[in-house]
Amino acid sequence: MVQHFETDSRQMLGRLRGVMAEDAAGQQRLDRITLLIAEEMHTEVCSIYLFRDEDTLELCATQGLKPESVHETRLKLGEGLVGRVARTGKVMNTDDAPGTRGFRYMPETGEEAYSSFMGVPIQRLGEMLGVLVVQSRESRRYSDEEVYAVEVVAMVIAEMAELGAFVGEGAAMSARHQRPVLFRGATAQEGAARGHVWLHEPRVVVANPIADDPARELERLHEAVEKLRVGVDRMLSTAASGDNEQLKVLEAYRMFANSKGWMRRMEEDIARGLSAEAAVEKEQSTARARMSQVTDPYLRERLHDLDDLSNRLLRILTGQGAETGADMPADPILIARNIGPAELLDYGRKLKGVILEEGSVGSHAAIVARALAIPLVIHAARITTEALNGDHVLVDGDQGLVHLRPDDNIVTAFRDKMAMQAQAQERYASIREKPAETLCGERIALHMNAGLMADLPSLAGSGAEGVGLFRTELQFLVRAHMPKRAELSELYARVMDAAQGKRVVFRTLDIGSDKVLPYMKAVSEPNPALGWRAVRVALDKPGVMRMQLQALIRAAKGRPLSVMFPFVAQHEEYSQARAEMDKAMERERILGHPLPEMLEVGAMLETPSLAYAPDRFYEEVDFLSIGGNDLKQFFFAADRENELVRRRYDTLNVSFLTFLEHIVRRCAAHDTPLSFCGEDAGRPIEAACLAAIGMHVLSMRPASVGPVKSVLRRTDLQELRAVIHAARDAGDQSVRPAVVEYLKGKL
Ligand code: PEP
Ligand code: MG
């Protein structure tokens, strides 16, 4: 097989390598390349078009067309045959170019004389860089062999572009990876950050796309694939047997690693003169290009798997691991396609921000980013292909925007925004020790939400009065194995130590729905958010809850203890959970451990049903905390993770506020302490409204305590209450416009 293809394309690549090695300017290189391709292909014309901006192609070099048209002829994406190749990413091969739909006559090039046309996309890992065209006067379709040869050359040109071989005058030849790029993603954690790129998985650089010893390259490929197979088999044998998702991915890896088609294509690429790594990358590019066209989610996932596998293979071949020897910048902004919670936690607080190509608002990584209080932008499509380690980057977590390699104007505007935020921070620091007392003299207690030991220093820094919600599941989510009781007890004790006597409300394990433990058998449910989650799991399989309650009692070492159960939907669930707590206390007493001097056991109100629970429930429960994130999704039947609907219904919608007022009244009637701990408690306008309708304990992200306190201290809740009621009486859908008008100047 090697001999069979050992013809023109190897010779062409050999000459191309010569051009690459020359010490020449970018334009000169492009000119030589078009000349050599035209000669090798025996065609009259060879042209290279490159993108000058996102949707304009520019003729950058030509052999055969009029030289004056170079850098003058431009085409929009989709325009003419060249524009069509760029848009579809597919080869076009025709013996009658002028008669082909979409042909556009460009007199300045003198191209009407050419009948045959072959356009091949110049693309690298799914990123379209330009189009390589050959044309000839004689009317003929180019053979498959010829198409393949030009594809291989186009791939090498793409690699050369990546290595900066064609830098020259003008936008189309400006150095790649130097242009500013704006990414519009979605926000998963607010905040602004400025820093330098740190790629979670740095791109493998293929320095030698062309090789002249195919036999040696084949050997290298086979060795690397063998290593890859062994590695995948090892991962499969050690994978957690209950984790269906992981097994599915690994099975797909194994399938690809043993795929004959994949191997054959790479072997053919090598036979044509590519190095082993260039062959892997060529197939990876094809898969990426396909990925952008495929809409079926299952197929897309599998193409992603193939992409991951190709990366692994490239790392084996080049010896470039995640550890590339680069130094992490002092102000790193992490960029990844996706990242697990444990990996993110490993980076910890040194990160200034995180940008993901994928991710979701409710993902574990988002939960950790929230806990670390660093801005997180998700769905920043293609950023891992654009960004290079060390690039300057601005993250606007409020708007979900990312400015990569920003120009000076953007930097100035952004700096102003950050300076304003810093000023505000100073203002917040100055009121840190002051109470959140409103103009009308009402005191609102502001607590913070936490989930990691690393959060505790914020307790003093933010001015929060305590921890209103400690999400214990984070400790479970970031581990590869179920934590042991002693470990948990030690951790909870350290949390209480760090809180120095301030109240910490520990929420028992809230798993299920989006939070799936890697080491627990996953249950497939049609509607996980409405499914077997939180206290429902705890009551049906009480082993873990019992262990956790015991760990909490032991951690308290006689100190006061506050525990609450998540997602209680009816009285009986609370009674059963409470009975477990009582049993745990009794067991500890018998074992001779000290019992907490005070124990309060609360419930989270996260489903509308609990708002209408019998009076007895309100009398029995020690306190209630509204989990607004969940409560809102069930109240409006709008999935909190679904971008299509999650912002559709406003928290300040009259019906939701009226519903919350109902809960406030019921709690007041039974003297049941009430707090609110969803994300809305940390948004100043929402927080002021919650306080106005009688919610006097709010728990929020530490960074929100200052802004919320600042607004509350400048607000008269009685007036605000009147504004809310007036808007409701006027029939408004949301009280927001009226409230914003009233609060103008106070924010
Ligand atoms: C909530 O639902 O509002 C809540 C605080 O819990 P979580 O966001 O962890 O589900
Ligand atoms: Mg919840």
Side-chain angles (χ1 to χ4, degrees):
M1 177 176 42
V2 174
Q3 278 77 25
H4 177 66
F5 293 124
E6 204 178 24
T7 51
D8 294 347
S9 91
R10 292 248 332 263
Q11 187 176 311
M12 191 147 66
L13 288 187
R15 288 183 64 188
L16 204 53
R17 185 161 52 178
V19 175
M20 241 165 97
E22 276 171 22
D23 185 15
Q27 184 65 50
Q28 238 175 332
R29 282 209 178 102
L30 280 183
D31 293 344
R32 292 209 185 136
I33 291 174
T34 51
L35 175 65
L36 85 82
I37 297 173
E39 281 175 9
E40 293 290 332
M41 298 284 301
H42 310 289
T43 60
E44 283 93 3
V45 177
C46 173
S47 313
I48 292 176
Y49 296 80
L50 296 175
F51 276 100
R52 57 173 286 122
D53 59 45
E54 250 175 39
D55 46 22
T56 319
L57 287 150
E58 180 172 307
L59 176 65
C60 286
T62 186
Q63 171 63 37
L65 297 184
K66 290 192 185 146
E68 317 77 273
S69 56
V70 171
H71 296 303
E72 294 300 324
T73 293
R74 290 181 190 160
L75 290 155
K76 286 277 170 222
L77 190 62
E79 189 187 357
L81 303 188
V82 174
R84 227 164 95 192
V85 172
R87 200 189 55 209
T88 58
K90 291 199 178 115
V91 173
M92 181 178 289
N93 180 7
T94 171
D95 55 4
D96 177 18
T100 303
R101 196 166 57 85
F103 176 79
R104 201 184 139 240
Y105 170 56
M106 288 175 294
E108 74 274 19
T109 62
E111 108 185 298
E112 79 272 33
Y114 304 105
S115 303
S116 317
F117 172 101
M118 174 186 2
V120 174
I122 301 175
Q123 57 185 331
R124 186 177 181 276
L125 299 179
E127 185 184 9
M128 195 61 64
L129 309 179
V131 179
L132 175 60
V133 175
V134 292
Q135 290 171 279
S136 33
R137 201 160 272 136
E138 177 200 356
S139 170
R140 69 180 184 99
R141 269 177 74 83
Y142 297 96
S143 70
D144 288 351
E145 267 310 301
E146 286 171 314
V147 173
Y148 206 166
V150 176
E151 275 187 302
V152 168
V153 172
M155 189 263 163
V156 174
I157 293 175
E159 282 306 319
M160 291 168 75
E162 175 73 12
L163 295 170
F166 308 128
V167 176
E169 290 281 305
M173 290 180 62
S174 71
R176 289 188 23 71
H177 300 302
Q178 282 187 12
R179 304 173 196 159
V181 192
L182 169 67
F183 295 88
R184 290 177 197 283
T187 175
Q189 166 68 35
E190 287 101 353
R194 181 179 169 192
H196 291 88
V197 170
W198 183 252
L199 292 168
H200 181 51
E201 293 198 320
R203 257 199 312 282
V204 172
V205 181
V206 177
N208 303 310
I210 305 167
D212 48 15
D213 184 356
R216 170 76 196 111
E217 294 304 304
L218 276 180
E219 202 181 307
R220 289 182 62 227
L221 178 73
H222 290 153
E223 274 170 24
V225 169
E226 192 47 39
K227 264 196 200 153
L228 181 76
R229 284 182 189 147
V230 172
V232 171
D233 285 346
R234 195 176 322 118
M235 283 193 283
L236 258 170
S237 67
T238 56
S241 57
D243 187 348
N244 285 337
E245 215 26 63
Q246 193 194 2
L247 285 178
K248 219 162 61 188
V249 169
L250 290 175
E251 287 293 354
Y253 278 4
R254 179 151 72 179
M255 187 187 81
F256 287 125
N258 290 293
S259 151
K260 292 210 171 62
W262 188 47
M263 259 327 260
R264 197 195 56 240
R265 284 192 301 276
M266 291 191 292
E267 285 169 352
E268 287 176 4
D269 295 334
I270 288 176
R272 287 186 160 77
L274 291 185
S275 66
E277 39 275 66
V280 176
E281 217 179 78
K282 180 166 177 290
E283 292 316 309
Q284 195 179 8
S285 281
T286 312
R288 285 236 183 136
R290 222 179 303 151
M291 206 141 63
S292 60
Q293 320 251 315
V294 168
T295 49
D296 177 67
Y298 179 80
L299 270 182
R300 278 182 73 86
E301 271 313 305
R302 296 295 76 86
L303 284 169
H304 264 316
D305 296 339
L306 177 59
D307 198 55
D308 283 340
L309 201 72
S310 306
N311 279 334
R312 280 170 196 271
L313 192 52
L314 280 175
R315 293 217 162 84
I316 296 174
L317 277 165
T318 58
Q320 295 171 23
E323 195 44 74
T324 54
D327 283 332
M328 187 185 272
D331 48 7
I333 307 255
L334 187 76
I335 293 185
R337 211 178 83 199
N338 221 340
I339 190 166
E343 291 168 304
L344 188 52
L345 207 55
D346 278 346
Y347 286 106
R349 287 188 186 274
K350 53 179 177 276
L351 296 181
K352 297 280 173 257
V354 182
I355 306 162
L356 301 180
E357 270 189 17
E358 299 176 357
S360 73
V361 183
S363 67
H364 304 163
I367 296 170
V368 172
R370 226 166 279 154
L372 294 171
I374 43 179
L376 168 63
V377 170
I378 55 175
H379 303 164
R382 306 172 41 74
I383 193 160
T384 57
T385 20
E386 272 290 347
L388 289 183
N389 263 344
D391 276 349
H392 188 194
V393 62
L394 310 175
V395 187
D396 182 343
D398 303 331
Q399 318 255 6
L401 297 180
V402 177
H403 301 274
L404 184 66
R405 302 182 286 266
D407 60 30
D408 291 348
N409 292 338
I410 302 274
V411 173
T412 311
F414 202 80
R415 206 182 282 141
D416 290 348
K417 179 176 168 149
M418 287 188 72
M420 267 167 60
Q421 285 185 352
Q423 265 171 15
Q425 287 306 329
E426 276 171 31
R427 228 180 33 242
Y428 304 145
S430 71
I431 54 170
R432 189 166 48 212
E433 306 306 328
K434 302 210 166 111
E437 187 171 325
T438 64
L439 291 180
C440 52
E442 290 185 52
R443 283 282 285 268
I444 310 298
L446 304 185
H447 292 251
M448 64 171 237
N449 296 344
L452 301 168
M453 196 54 218
D455 292 327
L456 269 296
S458 302
L459 192 47
S462 66
E465 293 180 31
V467 178
L469 166 66
F470 190 92
R471 291 180 161 105
T472 61
E473 60 275 8
L474 283 187
Q475 297 304 326
F476 287 77
L477 287 172
V478 299
R479 283 179 162 76
H481 304 283
M482 177 74 82
K484 300 216 163 39
R485 185 182 58 206
E487 268 178 273
L488 285 182
S489 158
E490 198 222 336
L491 176 98
Y492 299 151
R494 279 198 289 134
V495 171
M496 287 187 232
D497 294 346
Q500 299 185 328
K502 288 183 174 168
R503 180 172 181 247
V504 180
V505 180
F506 290 94
R507 171 174 80 182
T508 58
L509 191 57
D510 182 14
I511 49 153
S513 186
D514 58 314
K515 301 169 192 157
V516 182
L517 299 183
Y519 40 86
M520 262 173 87
K521 198 165 164 36
V523 190
S524 160
E525 297 178 274
N527 283 306
L530 305 177
W532 200 51
R533 52 179 291 198
V535 79
R536 301 171 179 180
V537 180
L539 293 174
D540 291 352
K541 297 242 181 258
V544 178
M545 170 168 64
R546 285 179 186 153
M547 182 265 281
Q548 199 184 16
L549 294 177
Q550 217 170 18
L552 283 164
I553 298 170
R554 290 189 189 176
K557 300 180 194 146
R559 294 174 282 193
L561 178 63
S562 306
V563 176
M564 71 178 169
F565 295 105
F567 214 68
V568 173
Q570 59 178 3
H571 181 191
E572 193 197 18
E573 284 166 348
Y574 175 75
S575 311
Q576 287 176 348
R578 167 107 218 189
E580 287 293 342
M581 185 78 212
D582 294 341
K583 266 192 269 174
M585 290 283 275
E586 181 58 14
R587 255 194 315 271
E588 290 304 284
R589 191 186 62 74
I590 293 168
L591 289 171
H593 291 293
L595 297 181
E597 65 180 49
M598 190 276 295
L599 171 70
E600 42 172 9
V601 183
M604 285 190 76
L605 194 159
E606 304 188 86
T607 59
S609 60
L610 207 60
Y612 301 98
D615 288 343
R616 264 196 28 237
F617 166 73
Y618 281 81
E619 283 153 18
E620 262 173 43
V621 72
D622 292 336
F623 64 92
L624 272 180
S625 191
I626 295 179
N629 307 336
D630 273 311
L631 186 61
K632 207 163 76 180
Q633 79 165 336
F634 296 117
F635 188 77
F636 289 112
D639 188 341
R640 63 194 259 191
E641 276 194 65
N642 183 340
E643 287 300 324
L644 294 174
V645 296
R646 74 184 192 95
R647 287 172 212 268
R648 194 176 183 95
Y649 305 100
D650 190 0
T651 307
L652 300 185
N653 182 301
V654 165
S655 42
F656 191 54
L657 283 187
T658 306
F659 176 57
L660 293 179
E661 272 183 334
H662 169 77
I663 301 169
V664 170
R665 273 199 304 276
R666 289 211 69 189
C667 286
H670 299 283
D671 279 336
T672 313
L674 175 66
S675 62
F676 188 104
C677 66
E679 293 301 315
D680 287 317
R683 304 194 170 106
I685 297 174
E686 282 82 340
C689 292
L690 291 173
I693 63 167
M695 218 80 73
H696 285 171
V697 183
L698 303 175
S699 193
M700 62 200 72
R701 292 187 286 128
S704 296
V705 174
V708 168
K709 192 192 280 185
S710 167
V711 166
L712 287 174
R713 284 173 59 83
R714 284 181 279 166
T715 305
D716 182 320
L717 290 185
Q718 286 174 8
E719 280 177 21
L720 182 57
R721 205 170 298 137
V723 170
I724 293 174
H725 289 166
R728 176 163 56 194
D729 293 345
D732 292 359
Q733 176 170 279
S734 164
V735 304
R736 187 176 299 274
V739 169
V740 167
E741 183 60 30
Y742 168 74
L743 288 176
K744 237 184 214 163
K746 294 182 169 38
L747 294 168

